[in-house]
Amino acid sequence: MCLAIPGKITAITEHLDGAFRTGKVSFGGIVRDTNLSMVPDAQIDDYVLVHVGVAISVVDEDEARKTFELLKAMGELEEELGPDPKPGVE
Amino acid sequence: MKYLTEYRDVALVQEYVRRIHQLVTKPWSIMEICGGQTHGLVKNGILEMLPEQVTMVHGPGCPVCVTPLHLIDDAIALAYQPGIILTSFGDMLRVPGSKESLLEAKANGANIQMVYSPLDALKIAQKNPDKEVVFFAVGFETTAPANALSVIQAAALGLNNYSILTSHVLVPPAMEAILSDPETRVDGFLAAGHVCTIMGMEEYYPIAEKYRVPIVVTGFEPIDLLIGIYETLKQLEAGSYQVDNQYARVVQFGGNPQAKEIIGKVFITSDRIWRGIGEIPGSGYEVDQDFSGYDARIKFALGHREVPEHPECIAGQILKGLRKPIHCGQFGKGCTPEHPLGAPMVSSEGACAAYYHFAQMKNETING
Ligand code: SF4
């Protein structure tokens, strides 16, 4: 649960200030809506560390890739990202 | 160990193992705070690579594991109330309460939905205006900003059918509680990288100074863990007790200012009961008065009561680092991840589950 996964910002969908800055982040092809309010300077193509749907910091691309590969090898991505791209109601 | 050979820095890992063996002259106990790190140490076989003198003590580092039974019971009681949808992270679902787990309650008709983010719980509230949606907000500092953000968004959207049941715990007060416990011997700490990503490192300086313990911030990969252990041992052998950041690629000295601001808006620090440890002053967050309409405890007038633990579970001693999971008479017998008796067996980040899975992995290797 405390894992944070690095992914690449592919789109910034809401530019609103504050709590509602959101975008799309790709985790090796799995794309998730992600809140970007805590990384106000992050731009498209930046890598961010995402924890429970919220980006908590910007990370270096090489490091992001390395961590991602490791998490994938350990089979721990699904636990954090969920199997289905449409989270929420069953 | 399978994973370690797949990891590209095998040579580097071996180099650090060699350096650690060369360095150590005395017995030392190092506690890793975070369950993610416990998981990494056990899963990658790192414990077996360390010299005998080095003992890794697995700290209280899994928020799911330290959530008290009475809170799980409260969450289940809410989920049985008509008109309430209880939402929770998946890790929490299988944790046994005093009578049943959230998952069992769900099978028995309680309205429980698993979410990956508190912001998904908020979406459920938007889609179900005639229902009350409660999110079971469990977590360390890492998760606090996301949980706080859900409250800020709910307020901004004018959603009145959303609230959170907080089970928020904080790392530095727990470190102090462990260090002041005369039964416990911890010489140095690995601090959890993701907690520090949010909070920064400031809080650790007074602890290192007061208790004369080195504190090394590190990450979760095998090489991060080994470097963290190596740097802690280097300080211990030299008699120094500094705060050191070995996870600078992610952790800034001051943490994430936006995240800290959001936490400060929604939460206030409070005393907290840690399962297996007891009450630690100033070790958690509650929803601030300004947002009391989003506090499930107030909204649904939940009381406080103590619920006893399973008599044979030694989780408390494990969380304090006094004993290992294998010392528990129920380990792997009456208590397995399928039928957990205590919380550290439930979450994959719990010390008992980490040991259990590792033992399974070893058996599989031996049996082909
Ligand atoms: S093995 Fe089970 S019963 Fe024993 S300490 Fe761990 S969680 Fe408790």
Side-chain angles (χ1 to χ4, degrees):
Chain A
M1 188 196 108
C2 299
L3 270 182
I5 301 173
K8 184 180 179 172
I9 302 179
T10 55
I12 294 177
T13 43
E14 287 285 348
H15 295 268
L16 295 175
D17 285 340
F20 292 93
R21 184 174 191 253
T22 56
K24 302 229 178 264
V25 174
S26 167
F27 305 90
I30 310 168
V31 177
R32 288 286 185 275
D33 289 331
T34 302
N35 182 284
L36 301 174
S37 61
M38 290 174 216
V39 287
D41 301 327
Q43 297 304 327
I44 290 179
D45 289 342
D46 280 351
Y47 281 78
V48 284
L49 202 57
V50 177
H51 173 66
V52 299
V54 176
I56 56 173
S57 73
V58 178
V59 284
D60 169 83
E61 178 173 346
D62 275 355
E63 292 300 339
R65 191 165 293 136
K66 208 167 86 178
T67 308
F68 185 81
E69 288 305 319
L70 191 84
L71 289 171
K72 203 160 77 179
M74 290 170 76
E76 284 172 5
L77 284 177
E78 183 148 301
E79 194 183 316
E80 281 301 300
L81 290 173
D84 179 44
K86 279 268 153 279
V89 189
E90 296 165 314
Chain B
M1 234 93 63
K2 174 172 158 256
Y3 300 112
L4 195 55
T5 47
E6 283 169 1
Y7 189 59
R8 68 182 193 195
D9 285 336
V10 170
L12 199 57
V13 165
Q14 282 164 349
E15 169 61 17
Y16 270 95
V17 171
R18 192 190 61 78
R19 284 197 205 178
I20 288 172
H21 277 265
Q22 216 170 40
L23 176 75
V24 173
T25 63
K26 290 186 216 120
W28 300 111
S29 295
I30 302 173
M31 177 177 274
E32 82 278 0
I33 306 286
C34 165
Q37 291 176 333
T38 304
H39 194 68
L41 286 172
V42 175
K43 194 160 192 170
N44 294 296
I46 292 173
L47 297 178
E48 302 183 339
M49 296 175 198
L50 297 175
E52 261 179 33
Q53 296 115 301
V54 179
T55 307
M56 294 306 294
V57 179
H58 314 305
C62 162
V64 167
C65 300
V66 299
T67 293
L69 272 178
H70 69 83
L71 265 178
I72 300 170
D73 288 354
D74 284 347
I76 291 172
L78 284 176
Y80 274 117
Q81 282 188 34
I84 295 183
I85 303 173
L86 184 96
T87 53
S88 165
F89 291 129
D91 307 45
M92 204 65 224
L93 293 184
R94 287 175 48 246
V95 182
S98 61
K99 289 197 194 68
E100 56 184 353
S101 66
L102 287 164
L103 207 60
E104 287 160 340
K106 185 179 162 83
N108 291 331
N111 199 347
I112 296 167
Q113 290 186 20
M114 187 184 116
V115 292
Y116 293 95
S117 165
L119 302 178
D120 294 338
L122 200 65
K123 283 184 199 145
I124 296 178
Q126 277 178 296
K127 283 193 198 122
N128 296 275
D130 55 332
K131 293 253 178 12
E132 280 290 337
V133 173
V134 180
F135 176 66
F136 197 1
V138 177
F140 275 131
E141 289 93 328
T142 321
T143 317
N147 292 348
L149 191 66
S150 75
V151 169
I152 288 180
Q153 288 197 352
L157 294 166
L159 273 182
N160 294 322
N161 64 331
Y162 178 75
S163 59
I164 62 175
L165 178 63
T166 56
S167 178
H168 262 296
V169 279
L170 305 176
V171 166
M175 286 168 74
E176 288 225 53
I178 288 160
L179 286 164
S180 349
D181 186 334
E183 280 184 298
T184 312
R185 186 187 152 212
V186 175
D187 303 309
F189 282 97
L190 300 186
H194 292 155
V195 167
C196 300
T197 305
I198 303 294
M199 302 303 286
M201 295 164 59
E202 281 133 307
E203 296 169 285
Y204 297 106
Y205 286 83
I207 298 177
E209 190 64 36
K210 181 170 169 195
Y211 299 94
R212 304 169 82 91
V213 285
I215 301 175
V216 178
V217 179
T218 190
F220 305 83
E221 296 174 36
I223 196 64
D224 288 322
L225 292 164
L226 280 166
I227 292 175
I229 293 167
Y230 174 69
E231 291 297 332
T232 310
L233 289 168
K234 223 162 80 180
Q235 287 203 44
L236 287 170
E237 289 281 342
S240 94
Y241 42 91
Q242 307 291 317
V243 179
D244 178 20
N245 184 5
Q246 289 297 326
Y247 202 41
R249 62 179 194 263
V250 181
V251 174
Q252 310 287 321
F253 180 80
N256 180 325
Q258 285 80 21
K260 288 206 278 195
E261 193 190 317
I262 287 174
I263 292 175
K265 266 191 199 150
V266 174
F267 292 130
I268 46 158
T269 306
S270 67
D271 300 344
R272 268 274 164 200
I273 296 172
W274 293 53
R275 187 174 188 177
I277 293 185
E279 187 167 87
I280 305 177
S283 69
Y285 287 140
E286 295 286 349
V287 178
D288 189 278
Q289 277 183 353
D290 294 352
F291 290 95
S292 60
Y294 300 92
D295 187 345
R297 187 152 284 290
I298 292 173
K299 197 170 194 175
F300 302 104
L302 299 174
H304 267 292
R305 70 216 137 70
E306 287 291 316
V307 183
E309 292 287 339
H310 189 279
E312 283 177 72
C313 179
I314 59 162
Q317 287 167 295
I318 291 172
L319 297 177
K320 279 194 208 163
L322 299 177
R323 296 170 86 186
K324 299 272 181 212
I326 42 171
H327 298 142
C328 171
Q330 291 295 334
F331 176 77
K333 301 188 184 96
C335 182
T336 61
E338 288 71 39
H339 300 283
L341 295 181
M345 189 57 98
V346 176
S347 157
S348 63
E349 289 160 18
C352 297
Y355 273 68
Y356 185 84
H357 289 303
F358 185 54
Q360 294 290 100
M361 249 165 70
K362 267 214 286 212
N363 281 342
E364 275 161 29
T365 321
I366 292 162
N367 301 331

PDB file of all heavy atoms in Angstrom, chain A residues 27-52:
ATOM      1  N   PHE A  27       2.150   4.091 -17.034  1.00  0.00           N
ATOM      2  CA  PHE A  27       3.045   3.180 -16.324  1.00  0.00           C
ATOM      3  C   PHE A  27       3.339   2.026 -17.282  1.00  0.00           C
ATOM      4  O   PHE A  27       2.587   1.056 -17.321  1.00  0.00           O
ATOM      5  CB  PHE A  27       2.385   2.670 -15.040  1.00  0.00           C
ATOM      6  CG  PHE A  27       1.917   3.772 -14.134  1.00  0.00           C
ATOM      7  CD1 PHE A  27       0.625   4.289 -14.249  1.00  0.00           C
ATOM      8  CD2 PHE A  27       2.764   4.309 -13.181  1.00  0.00           C
ATOM      9  CE1 PHE A  27       0.193   5.307 -13.425  1.00  0.00           C
ATOM     10  CE2 PHE A  27       2.341   5.334 -12.358  1.00  0.00           C
ATOM     11  CZ  PHE A  27       1.053   5.834 -12.475  1.00  0.00           C
ATOM     12  N   GLY A  28       4.368   2.183 -18.093  1.00  0.00           N
ATOM     13  CA  GLY A  28       4.709   1.159 -19.072  1.00  0.00           C
ATOM     14  C   GLY A  28       3.528   0.810 -19.979  1.00  0.00           C
ATOM     15  O   GLY A  28       3.315  -0.342 -20.306  1.00  0.00           O
ATOM     16  N   GLY A  29       2.742   1.808 -20.351  1.00  0.00           N
ATOM     17  CA  GLY A  29       1.628   1.578 -21.263  1.00  0.00           C
ATOM     18  C   GLY A  29       0.266   1.542 -20.572  1.00  0.00           C
ATOM     19  O   GLY A  29      -0.767   1.726 -21.208  1.00  0.00           O
ATOM     20  N   ILE A  30       0.256   1.273 -19.275  1.00  0.00           N
ATOM     21  CA  ILE A  30      -1.012   1.318 -18.534  1.00  0.00           C
ATOM     22  C   ILE A  30      -1.228   2.769 -18.118  1.00  0.00           C
ATOM     23  O   ILE A  30      -0.432   3.323 -17.365  1.00  0.00           O
ATOM     24  CB  ILE A  30      -0.952   0.425 -17.270  1.00  0.00           C
ATOM     25  CG1 ILE A  30      -0.440  -0.969 -17.622  1.00  0.00           C
ATOM     26  CG2 ILE A  30      -2.300   0.377 -16.578  1.00  0.00           C
ATOM     27  CD1 ILE A  30      -0.078  -1.809 -16.400  1.00  0.00           C
ATOM     28  N   VAL A  31      -2.293   3.380 -18.634  1.00  0.00           N
ATOM     29  CA  VAL A  31      -2.493   4.808 -18.390  1.00  0.00           C
ATOM     30  C   VAL A  31      -3.533   5.010 -17.284  1.00  0.00           C
ATOM     31  O   VAL A  31      -4.568   4.345 -17.258  1.00  0.00           O
ATOM     32  CB  VAL A  31      -2.937   5.525 -19.686  1.00  0.00           C
ATOM     33  CG1 VAL A  31      -3.210   7.003 -19.430  1.00  0.00           C
ATOM     34  CG2 VAL A  31      -1.856   5.371 -20.755  1.00  0.00           C
ATOM     35  N   ARG A  32      -3.229   5.924 -16.375  1.00  0.00           N
ATOM     36  CA  ARG A  32      -4.135   6.210 -15.270  1.00  0.00           C
ATOM     37  C   ARG A  32      -4.323   7.717 -15.109  1.00  0.00           C
ATOM     38  O   ARG A  32      -3.355   8.473 -15.259  1.00  0.00           O
ATOM     39  CB  ARG A  32      -3.567   5.677 -13.953  1.00  0.00           C
ATOM     40  CG  ARG A  32      -3.600   4.171 -13.812  1.00  0.00           C
ATOM     41  CD  ARG A  32      -5.020   3.687 -13.545  1.00  0.00           C
ATOM     42  NE  ARG A  32      -5.048   2.259 -13.289  1.00  0.00           N
ATOM     43  CZ  ARG A  32      -5.101   1.321 -14.227  1.00  0.00           C
ATOM     44  NH1 ARG A  32      -5.135   1.682 -15.496  1.00  0.00           N
ATOM     45  NH2 ARG A  32      -5.117   0.057 -13.908  1.00  0.00           N
ATOM     46  N   ASP A  33      -5.556   8.129 -14.790  1.00  0.00           N
ATOM     47  CA  ASP A  33      -5.774   9.524 -14.400  1.00  0.00           C
ATOM     48  C   ASP A  33      -5.041   9.746 -13.082  1.00  0.00           C
ATOM     49  O   ASP A  33      -5.146   8.927 -12.171  1.00  0.00           O
ATOM     50  CB  ASP A  33      -7.269   9.787 -14.183  1.00  0.00           C
ATOM     51  CG  ASP A  33      -8.024   9.776 -15.505  1.00  0.00           C
ATOM     52  OD1 ASP A  33      -7.407  10.110 -16.533  1.00  0.00           O
ATOM     53  OD2 ASP A  33      -9.217   9.416 -15.497  1.00  0.00           O
ATOM     54  N   THR A  34      -4.298  10.816 -13.019  1.00  0.00           N
ATOM     55  CA  THR A  34      -3.481  11.057 -11.827  1.00  0.00           C
ATOM     56  C   THR A  34      -3.600  12.508 -11.396  1.00  0.00           C
ATOM     57  O   THR A  34      -3.588  13.410 -12.242  1.00  0.00           O
ATOM     58  CB  THR A  34      -1.996  10.726 -12.148  1.00  0.00           C
ATOM     59  OG1 THR A  34      -1.922   9.370 -12.586  1.00  0.00           O
ATOM     60  CG2 THR A  34      -1.094  10.917 -10.941  1.00  0.00           C
ATOM     61  N   ASN A  35      -3.737  12.716 -10.111  1.00  0.00           N
ATOM     62  CA  ASN A  35      -3.786  14.078  -9.601  1.00  0.00           C
ATOM     63  C   ASN A  35      -2.367  14.660  -9.579  1.00  0.00           C
ATOM     64  O   ASN A  35      -1.440  14.014  -9.095  1.00  0.00           O
ATOM     65  CB  ASN A  35      -4.399  14.091  -8.201  1.00  0.00           C
ATOM     66  CG  ASN A  35      -4.505  15.499  -7.666  1.00  0.00           C
ATOM     67  OD1 ASN A  35      -3.518  16.083  -7.253  1.00  0.00           O
ATOM     68  ND2 ASN A  35      -5.697  16.059  -7.710  1.00  0.00           N
ATOM     69  N   LEU A  36      -2.213  15.866 -10.110  1.00  0.00           N
ATOM     70  CA  LEU A  36      -0.877  16.472 -10.220  1.00  0.00           C
ATOM     71  C   LEU A  36      -0.730  17.717  -9.348  1.00  0.00           C
ATOM     72  O   LEU A  36       0.207  18.489  -9.514  1.00  0.00           O
ATOM     73  CB  LEU A  36      -0.595  16.833 -11.691  1.00  0.00           C
ATOM     74  CG  LEU A  36      -0.631  15.686 -12.704  1.00  0.00           C
ATOM     75  CD1 LEU A  36      -0.492  16.226 -14.129  1.00  0.00           C
ATOM     76  CD2 LEU A  36       0.481  14.677 -12.423  1.00  0.00           C
ATOM     77  N   SER A  37      -1.648  17.904  -8.401  1.00  0.00           N
ATOM     78  CA  SER A  37      -1.617  19.157  -7.643  1.00  0.00           C
ATOM     79  C   SER A  37      -0.378  19.286  -6.762  1.00  0.00           C
ATOM     80  O   SER A  37       0.005  20.394  -6.397  1.00  0.00           O
ATOM     81  CB  SER A  37      -2.886  19.295  -6.795  1.00  0.00           C
ATOM     82  OG  SER A  37      -2.979  18.237  -5.879  1.00  0.00           O
ATOM     83  N   MET A  38       0.247  18.171  -6.407  1.00  0.00           N
ATOM     84  CA  MET A  38       1.417  18.269  -5.529  1.00  0.00           C
ATOM     85  C   MET A  38       2.733  18.329  -6.288  1.00  0.00           C
ATOM     86  O   MET A  38       3.801  18.348  -5.687  1.00  0.00           O
ATOM     87  CB  MET A  38       1.412  17.112  -4.542  1.00  0.00           C
ATOM     88  CG  MET A  38       0.286  17.289  -3.540  1.00  0.00           C
ATOM     89  SD  MET A  38       0.125  15.893  -2.478  1.00  0.00           S
ATOM     90  CE  MET A  38      -1.653  15.853  -2.309  1.00  0.00           C
ATOM     91  N   VAL A  39       2.651  18.293  -7.609  1.00  0.00           N
ATOM     92  CA  VAL A  39       3.846  18.508  -8.435  1.00  0.00           C
ATOM     93  C   VAL A  39       3.527  19.623  -9.435  1.00  0.00           C
ATOM     94  O   VAL A  39       3.452  19.398 -10.642  1.00  0.00           O
ATOM     95  CB  VAL A  39       4.287  17.206  -9.164  1.00  0.00           C
ATOM     96  CG1 VAL A  39       4.908  16.220  -8.185  1.00  0.00           C
ATOM     97  CG2 VAL A  39       3.115  16.527  -9.878  1.00  0.00           C
ATOM     98  N   PRO A  40       3.351  20.855  -8.916  1.00  0.00           N
ATOM     99  CA  PRO A  40       2.837  21.944  -9.755  1.00  0.00           C
ATOM    100  C   PRO A  40       3.723  22.280 -10.953  1.00  0.00           C
ATOM    101  O   PRO A  40       3.239  22.819 -11.945  1.00  0.00           O
ATOM    102  CB  PRO A  40       2.733  23.131  -8.783  1.00  0.00           C
ATOM    103  CG  PRO A  40       3.600  22.779  -7.619  1.00  0.00           C
ATOM    104  CD  PRO A  40       3.607  21.284  -7.531  1.00  0.00           C
ATOM    105  N   ASP A  41       5.024  21.953 -10.857  1.00  0.00           N
ATOM    106  CA  ASP A  41       5.923  22.302 -11.951  1.00  0.00           C
ATOM    107  C   ASP A  41       6.086  21.178 -12.976  1.00  0.00           C
ATOM    108  O   ASP A  41       6.729  21.365 -14.003  1.00  0.00           O
ATOM    109  CB  ASP A  41       7.311  22.677 -11.406  1.00  0.00           C
ATOM    110  CG  ASP A  41       7.233  23.838 -10.441  1.00  0.00           C
ATOM    111  OD1 ASP A  41       6.349  24.707 -10.663  1.00  0.00           O
ATOM    112  OD2 ASP A  41       8.007  23.868  -9.471  1.00  0.00           O
ATOM    113  N   ALA A  42       5.517  20.009 -12.693  1.00  0.00           N
ATOM    114  CA  ALA A  42       5.712  18.877 -13.607  1.00  0.00           C
ATOM    115  C   ALA A  42       4.997  19.127 -14.932  1.00  0.00           C
ATOM    116  O   ALA A  42       3.892  19.659 -14.971  1.00  0.00           O
ATOM    117  CB  ALA A  42       5.183  17.603 -12.954  1.00  0.00           C
ATOM    118  N   GLN A  43       5.673  18.761 -16.006  1.00  0.00           N
ATOM    119  CA  GLN A  43       5.145  18.973 -17.362  1.00  0.00           C
ATOM    120  C   GLN A  43       5.007  17.636 -18.090  1.00  0.00           C
ATOM    121  O   GLN A  43       5.495  16.621 -17.601  1.00  0.00           O
ATOM    122  CB  GLN A  43       6.096  19.882 -18.154  1.00  0.00           C
ATOM    123  CG  GLN A  43       6.250  21.273 -17.573  1.00  0.00           C
ATOM    124  CD  GLN A  43       4.930  22.019 -17.410  1.00  0.00           C
ATOM    125  OE1 GLN A  43       4.004  21.842 -18.220  1.00  0.00           O
ATOM    126  NE2 GLN A  43       4.820  22.822 -16.361  1.00  0.00           N
ATOM    127  N   ILE A  44       4.381  17.690 -19.263  1.00  0.00           N
ATOM    128  CA  ILE A  44       4.275  16.496 -20.101  1.00  0.00           C
ATOM    129  C   ILE A  44       5.677  15.943 -20.358  1.00  0.00           C
ATOM    130  O   ILE A  44       6.627  16.722 -20.554  1.00  0.00           O
ATOM    131  CB  ILE A  44       3.550  16.832 -21.423  1.00  0.00           C
ATOM    132  CG1 ILE A  44       2.077  17.103 -21.099  1.00  0.00           C
ATOM    133  CG2 ILE A  44       3.665  15.689 -22.436  1.00  0.00           C
ATOM    134  CD1 ILE A  44       1.228  17.473 -22.274  1.00  0.00           C
ATOM    135  N   ASP A  45       5.801  14.613 -20.352  1.00  0.00           N
ATOM    136  CA  ASP A  45       7.065  13.876 -20.531  1.00  0.00           C
ATOM    137  C   ASP A  45       7.910  13.789 -19.257  1.00  0.00           C
ATOM    138  O   ASP A  45       8.900  13.076 -19.233  1.00  0.00           O
ATOM    139  CB  ASP A  45       7.942  14.436 -21.661  1.00  0.00           C
ATOM    140  CG  ASP A  45       7.338  14.135 -23.029  1.00  0.00           C
ATOM    141  OD1 ASP A  45       6.464  13.234 -23.102  1.00  0.00           O
ATOM    142  OD2 ASP A  45       7.727  14.801 -23.993  1.00  0.00           O
ATOM    143  N   ASP A  46       7.526  14.520 -18.217  1.00  0.00           N
ATOM    144  CA  ASP A  46       8.244  14.351 -16.942  1.00  0.00           C
ATOM    145  C   ASP A  46       7.823  13.032 -16.307  1.00  0.00           C
ATOM    146  O   ASP A  46       6.701  12.558 -16.516  1.00  0.00           O
ATOM    147  CB  ASP A  46       7.904  15.487 -15.963  1.00  0.00           C
ATOM    148  CG  ASP A  46       8.689  16.760 -16.272  1.00  0.00           C
ATOM    149  OD1 ASP A  46       9.596  16.687 -17.118  1.00  0.00           O
ATOM    150  OD2 ASP A  46       8.375  17.790 -15.660  1.00  0.00           O
ATOM    151  N   TYR A  47       8.740  12.469 -15.503  1.00  0.00           N
ATOM    152  CA  TYR A  47       8.409  11.264 -14.738  1.00  0.00           C
ATOM    153  C   TYR A  47       8.035  11.661 -13.317  1.00  0.00           C
ATOM    154  O   TYR A  47       8.703  12.510 -12.717  1.00  0.00           O
ATOM    155  CB  TYR A  47       9.595  10.292 -14.718  1.00  0.00           C
ATOM    156  CG  TYR A  47       9.698   9.512 -16.000  1.00  0.00           C
ATOM    157  CD1 TYR A  47      10.238  10.097 -17.147  1.00  0.00           C
ATOM    158  CD2 TYR A  47       9.225   8.208 -16.070  1.00  0.00           C
ATOM    159  CE1 TYR A  47      10.313   9.392 -18.335  1.00  0.00           C
ATOM    160  CE2 TYR A  47       9.300   7.492 -17.256  1.00  0.00           C
ATOM    161  CZ  TYR A  47       9.842   8.094 -18.377  1.00  0.00           C
ATOM    162  OH  TYR A  47       9.901   7.387 -19.557  1.00  0.00           O
ATOM    163  N   VAL A  48       6.964  11.072 -12.831  1.00  0.00           N
ATOM    164  CA  VAL A  48       6.533  11.373 -11.463  1.00  0.00           C
ATOM    165  C   VAL A  48       6.342  10.065 -10.691  1.00  0.00           C
ATOM    166  O   VAL A  48       6.066   9.014 -11.269  1.00  0.00           O
ATOM    167  CB  VAL A  48       5.217  12.186 -11.432  1.00  0.00           C
ATOM    168  CG1 VAL A  48       5.460  13.632 -11.790  1.00  0.00           C
ATOM    169  CG2 VAL A  48       4.146  11.555 -12.331  1.00  0.00           C
ATOM    170  N   LEU A  49       6.500  10.184  -9.377  1.00  0.00           N
ATOM    171  CA  LEU A  49       6.267   9.055  -8.485  1.00  0.00           C
ATOM    172  C   LEU A  49       4.811   9.154  -8.031  1.00  0.00           C
ATOM    173  O   LEU A  49       4.406  10.179  -7.485  1.00  0.00           O
ATOM    174  CB  LEU A  49       7.219   9.200  -7.305  1.00  0.00           C
ATOM    175  CG  LEU A  49       7.575   7.985  -6.476  1.00  0.00           C
ATOM    176  CD1 LEU A  49       8.172   6.889  -7.346  1.00  0.00           C
ATOM    177  CD2 LEU A  49       8.577   8.397  -5.390  1.00  0.00           C
ATOM    178  N   VAL A  50       4.033   8.112  -8.295  1.00  0.00           N
ATOM    179  CA  VAL A  50       2.590   8.175  -8.020  1.00  0.00           C
ATOM    180  C   VAL A  50       2.228   7.213  -6.894  1.00  0.00           C
ATOM    181  O   VAL A  50       2.613   6.043  -6.907  1.00  0.00           O
ATOM    182  CB  VAL A  50       1.778   7.835  -9.292  1.00  0.00           C
ATOM    183  CG1 VAL A  50       0.276   7.831  -8.994  1.00  0.00           C
ATOM    184  CG2 VAL A  50       2.092   8.840 -10.395  1.00  0.00           C
ATOM    185  N   HIS A  51       1.509   7.732  -5.934  1.00  0.00           N
ATOM    186  CA  HIS A  51       1.053   6.924  -4.794  1.00  0.00           C
ATOM    187  C   HIS A  51      -0.454   7.115  -4.650  1.00  0.00           C
ATOM    188  O   HIS A  51      -0.914   8.251  -4.571  1.00  0.00           O
ATOM    189  CB  HIS A  51       1.797   7.364  -3.533  1.00  0.00           C
ATOM    190  CG  HIS A  51       1.299   6.717  -2.286  1.00  0.00           C
ATOM    191  ND1 HIS A  51       1.432   5.363  -2.052  1.00  0.00           N
ATOM    192  CD2 HIS A  51       0.662   7.213  -1.203  1.00  0.00           C
ATOM    193  CE1 HIS A  51       0.891   5.074  -0.874  1.00  0.00           C
ATOM    194  NE2 HIS A  51       0.420   6.178  -0.341  1.00  0.00           N
ATOM    195  N   VAL A  52      -1.199   6.051  -4.643  1.00  0.00           N
ATOM    196  CA  VAL A  52      -2.675   6.036  -4.560  1.00  0.00           C
ATOM    197  C   VAL A  52      -3.342   7.145  -5.394  1.00  0.00           C
ATOM    198  O   VAL A  52      -4.226   7.853  -4.932  1.00  0.00           O
ATOM    199  CB  VAL A  52      -3.202   6.033  -3.090  1.00  0.00           C
ATOM    200  CG1 VAL A  52      -2.736   4.799  -2.353  1.00  0.00           C
ATOM    201  CG2 VAL A  52      -2.816   7.280  -2.296  1.00  0.00           C
TER     202      VAL A  52
END
